[in-house]
Amino acid sequence: MINKKQQRVAAIHDLSGFGRCSLAVIIPVLSSMGIQCCPVPTAVLSTHTGGFDDIAIKDLTDYIGAALSQYKKLGIEFDSVYSGFLASAEQIDHCLDFFDAYKNSLKVVDPVMGDHGRPYRTYTPELCGRMGELVDVADVITPNLTEASILLGEQYPEELTAGLVKRWLARLGERVRITVITGVPLAEGAIANVGFDRERGGFWRVDCDYVPASYPGTGDIFAGVLTGSLLSGDSLPIAMDRATSFTQIAIKNTFSYGLEARNGVLFEPSLGRLRDESACGFKRL
Ligand code: PXL
């Protein structure tokens, strides 16, 4: 990396000790892409909330504002502020303060709220209701289908046509420049990640094979690679392509060994691939 300024991201997500999600996957992904990731933990959990009991959890709502104050005092700059899993509705205000303090950064909101048509167990109706406030200040959002339907006030769909997906992307695109909806079952045996860039003006899709298993943390890996790729100067379809192919390799690797789903995906052996810039599997939606 000669003559290229290193990019720096403030990542406002939880830290789950076991289960490979949020900061535990986002830090290694961004580091492997040559990007400095500064974690701003929203909570510390012993495991993620998908399939474990007796979870030890420490809410860090009071910490986020104090961390931001110190960064401002120190004059630390961030090229991107990226929010994800939040532990309380009050944390929406802290994220808004962060986005406001770094107005010129790439503001990425992964509006983590749920999956498979249901909210995660720690997500209250108030927290879900307020997530739209972050969407309205973001440059990039990466909802899954469940989260997109909550943001739009629509029923969770069983199956979607390309036309309906485009209408959803366009509606979210009235509020934010780049929208990527993940995990859309657009065709038999395939799942697509679909995206819309309001400024560039284009609807894109990247397909991957359907795997009959569901793993936590894959949305975090996808959004982490997408963020790193956009920060590196890639176009939206190239960034979607890189994020989809890295996530798909980790999912297939995990599935091929028959590993327990709640432990997350086996992504560590593939981190070196994030240095590979070739990608060309995208199409117009
Ligand atoms: O990957 C989403 C996620 C992040 N953080 C925590 C979670 C989940 C999903 O279950 O429980 C703590």
Side-chain angles (χ1 to χ4, degrees), residues 14 16 21-22 45 47-50 85 112 120 122 216-220:
D14 72 281
S16 289
C21 70
S22 23
L45 297 89
T47 66
H48 60 67
T49 63
F85 182 98
V112 174
Y120 293 131
T122 57
T218 50
D220 302 323

Side-chain angles (χ1 to χ4, degrees), residues 151-172:
L151 291 172
L152 289 169
E154 298 283 353
Q155 285 291 330
Y156 179 74
E158 285 308 316
E159 204 170 322
L160 284 176
T161 62
L164 187 62
V165 173
K166 277 188 181 178
R167 285 197 293 281
W168 278 29
L169 286 170
R171 280 174 62 195
L172 289 166

Side-chain angles (χ1 to χ4, degrees), residues 105-120:
S105 71
L106 182 74
K107 297 183 277 301
V108 180
V109 172
D110 187 359
V112 174
M113 289 186 281
D115 208 353
H116 309 293
R118 289 187 307 274
Y120 293 131

